[in-house]
Amino acid sequence: MMTFFQSPVFFLIFLLLILLPTGSNAQIDGNNVYDVIIVGAGWAGLGAANELMSKGVNNFLILEADFRIGGRSKTIYESWEGESIPLDLGSSWIHGITQNPIFSIVTNNQIPYIKTSHRSNIYKAGGSGQLEKDIVDKLEKKTFSGKNGFFKYQESRQSEGKRDKSLRVVADNYEKEKEWIPKSLERNFFELMLQKKIEQDYAASIEKLSAWWWDSDSKVLGEEVILPNGYSDAIDAYSSSLGSRIHTGTMVIGINYKHKSTPVALRYADRKDSNKKKKLHAKKVIVTVPLGVLKSDIIHFSPSMPRWKKRAIAKVGVSFLNKIILFWSSNQIFWPKDVEWFNDLTGQSIFQFYNPYSKNNGKPYLVGFVVGDDASKMENKYGNNDLTYKQELTRRAMIALRNMFGQIPEPGKVVVTMWGNEPYIKGAYSYNKVGIKKWSRSDIALKLKKRVYFAGEATSSDKFGTTHGALISGKEAAKMALASLN
């Protein structure tokens, strides 16, 4: 006789349990006092949660305002030429695979990865072709990496003066000393290098970057890799053991940590229940929301955060980085297939273009990156209308591409991002803006009354702007919370 556990009904129930979205139907116990509640399910929040579990703490929750986890590590799938193509809208690279916990997740879970070379072409104005490699090498050494280049120049002046200034001021002084003619090859190349080597990396305009502290992050070790099936593969693997502890659509709007004799009280809006306001309690809270969300005061702290923490949050900048992904038919490919990056030397383009063709089994699309003030201005001017925003980004991208490659066809499909307008992200990642203090990031990370802890890439003094920096900060915050947990 067939038992229930052998029956098709049991198999169906078992299958449904497996396929249900993580944490989507599990009940939150409003009467329970949790050991820890983690606010945010990006890399920092997941890092904190995994650290808790590794120490045997299971009485915790992760509350995520969005209906998905991962923060800016977001992979979507677009149908093109009969295939479903994974596209990373946010995080794309693992920066430095040596002793990198994100790369450890990838290798431990046998997630496919591909090393990148950053080989690039630079194109002259008016569709007149590629700038010759020997000229590129000479100009790069002359303007940037050589003994008389900008890197050495700005290094020697980083501690100058009693007041911080923008990196733009330093660059302008360098240009004046060189006495370059406006729109000369040297000056245009130098401005492109500022965009390519600095603004692109920090997703911030040099007008905003601190001359003293812009590059205070530690240098990555090892090669850089991408995940051809999407960064969400790593998120899914790392969150797989957390199960129903993750609750999406749960927007924390208040944290009351006033009375030491009572648990921390959290108020949240349940987005799955008509934004009904509800309450939870925990001995410790770890806040891992992005810096842009902290700046926006979506979460009301009671008592209010002290002035030193508010000052620290204000001193650190939120960067902007958006992508435009343009598809063409396989028989329309007009770009070199084995080159990863394309740059326009005219100084008129707001984009750098990445070509994943040789890394993704020959899928025919390009990714344009727009950063800093250019990205924020596009969002501010056109972001109220999704169609207008997409059309304007496409128009500008096609001008740049036609300058490089001549008369090329219109793309068959376009996908764009607008991270500044994402209500639970509000930007890309953090950067060291003019006026930042050496201790600003450490102050953001400091706990409040040994009850509320903070994590996220913005709290990292040397790994900011990276997914591994976020993950490490989450684990560290969890360790501190555990040390004071009764």
Side-chain angles (χ1 to χ4, degrees), residues 93 114-118 223-226 340 354 359:
W93 279 266
I114 298 173
K115 296 177 182 179
T116 60
S117 65
H118 291 281
E223 297 171 283
E224 298 194 341
V225 303
I226 59 171
E340 288 188 25
Y354 174 65
K359 310 295 182 185

Side-chain angles (χ1 to χ4, degrees), residues 120-188:
S120 64
N121 283 357
I122 296 174
Y123 290 84
K124 295 176 280 189
S128 54
Q130 178 186 344
L131 191 64
E132 292 80 1
K133 188 178 185 306
D134 61 331
I135 296 177
V136 170
D137 292 341
K138 289 177 183 177
L139 285 171
E140 198 278 334
K141 187 174 181 180
K142 178 180 179 181
T143 64
F144 252 75
S145 63
K147 65 180 181 179
N148 295 317
F150 179 68
F151 274 131
K152 292 288 186 184
Y153 179 88
Q154 64 85 29
E155 275 182 359
S156 68
R157 287 157 176 78
Q158 274 192 311
S159 58
E160 277 186 349
K162 295 182 179 180
R163 181 173 293 180
D164 193 9
K165 53 185 172 293
S166 78
L167 197 59
R168 176 79 264 175
V169 172
V170 182
D172 286 347
N173 290 338
Y174 178 74
E175 289 186 18
K176 288 177 184 176
E177 290 188 19
K178 294 298 179 183
E179 297 182 336
W180 288 327
I181 299 170
K183 296 185 180 180
S184 65
L185 177 60
E186 289 88 352
R187 188 183 183 280
N188 282 353

Side-chain angles (χ1 to χ4, degrees), residues 216-414:
S216 63
D217 52 327
S218 58
K219 303 309 174 189
V220 297
L221 301 175
E223 297 171 283
E224 298 194 341
V225 303
I226 59 171
L227 308 181
N229 295 329
Y231 223 95
S232 289
D233 273 4
I235 283 284
D236 293 343
Y238 196 53
S239 62
S240 61
S241 63
L242 300 174
S244 59
R245 293 180 181 85
I246 300 175
H247 292 267
T248 56
T250 307
M251 183 173 67
V252 173
I253 56 176
I255 298 175
N256 188 328
Y257 63 100
K258 183 175 183 179
H259 300 292
K260 290 184 178 180
S261 58
T262 59
V264 180
L266 289 89
R267 290 185 300 114
Y268 69 94
D270 190 341
R271 297 180 64 209
K272 299 186 291 293
D273 190 13
S274 303
N275 285 322
K276 187 178 292 184
K277 306 300 186 292
K278 301 178 181 180
K279 188 176 284 188
L280 286 170
H281 296 87
K283 297 175 183 176
K284 310 290 177 184
V285 172
I286 302 175
V287 178
T288 73
V289 298
L291 180 62
V293 175
L294 274 183
K295 284 177 177 284
S296 69
D297 294 326
I298 290 174
I299 302 174
H300 175 74
F301 288 84
S302 182
S304 180
M305 286 190 288
R307 285 186 203 171
W308 56 264
K309 187 172 280 289
K310 288 182 177 179
R311 278 197 300 267
I313 291 169
K315 289 287 185 184
V316 180
V318 175
S319 67
F320 284 81
L321 186 156
N322 282 313
K323 298 179 182 180
I324 178 169
I325 306 169
L326 306 108
F327 288 82
W328 285 269
S329 299
S330 294
N331 61 3
Q332 292 180 319
I333 295 173
F334 52 82
W335 60 88
K337 298 176 182 178
D338 60 344
V339 177
E340 288 188 25
W341 291 93
F342 306 121
N343 298 278
D344 176 12
L345 194 56
T346 63
Q348 299 172 356
S349 173
I350 63 174
F351 296 98
Q352 288 192 65
F353 291 94
Y354 174 65
N355 167 34
Y357 186 90
S358 62
K359 310 295 182 185
N360 66 5
N361 297 319
K363 304 300 186 296
Y365 66 88
L366 295 175
V367 184
F369 287 74
V370 56
V371 302
D373 289 349
D374 290 325
S376 61
K377 287 175 183 176
M378 289 296 293
E379 287 200 24
N380 292 336
K381 188 171 183 178
Y382 303 105
N384 289 333
N385 185 298
D386 290 349
L387 179 59
T388 302
Y389 176 77
K390 180 188 284 190
Q391 288 174 339
E392 184 61 22
L393 272 185
T394 304
R395 184 185 71 82
R396 296 187 182 211
M398 291 303 292
I399 289 173
L401 288 170
R402 283 174 174 149
N403 180 71
M404 291 188 282
F405 299 108
Q407 289 305 308
I408 59 173
E410 291 289 326
K413 174 179 281 192
V414 176

Side-chain angles (χ1 to χ4, degrees), residues 16-37:
L16 285 171
L17 287 172
I18 291 175
L19 294 176
L20 283 174
T22 302
S24 61
N25 287 289
Q27 293 296 312
I28 296 177
D29 185 358
N31 296 316
N32 183 26
V33 176
Y34 291 93
D35 287 330
V36 182
I37 290 179

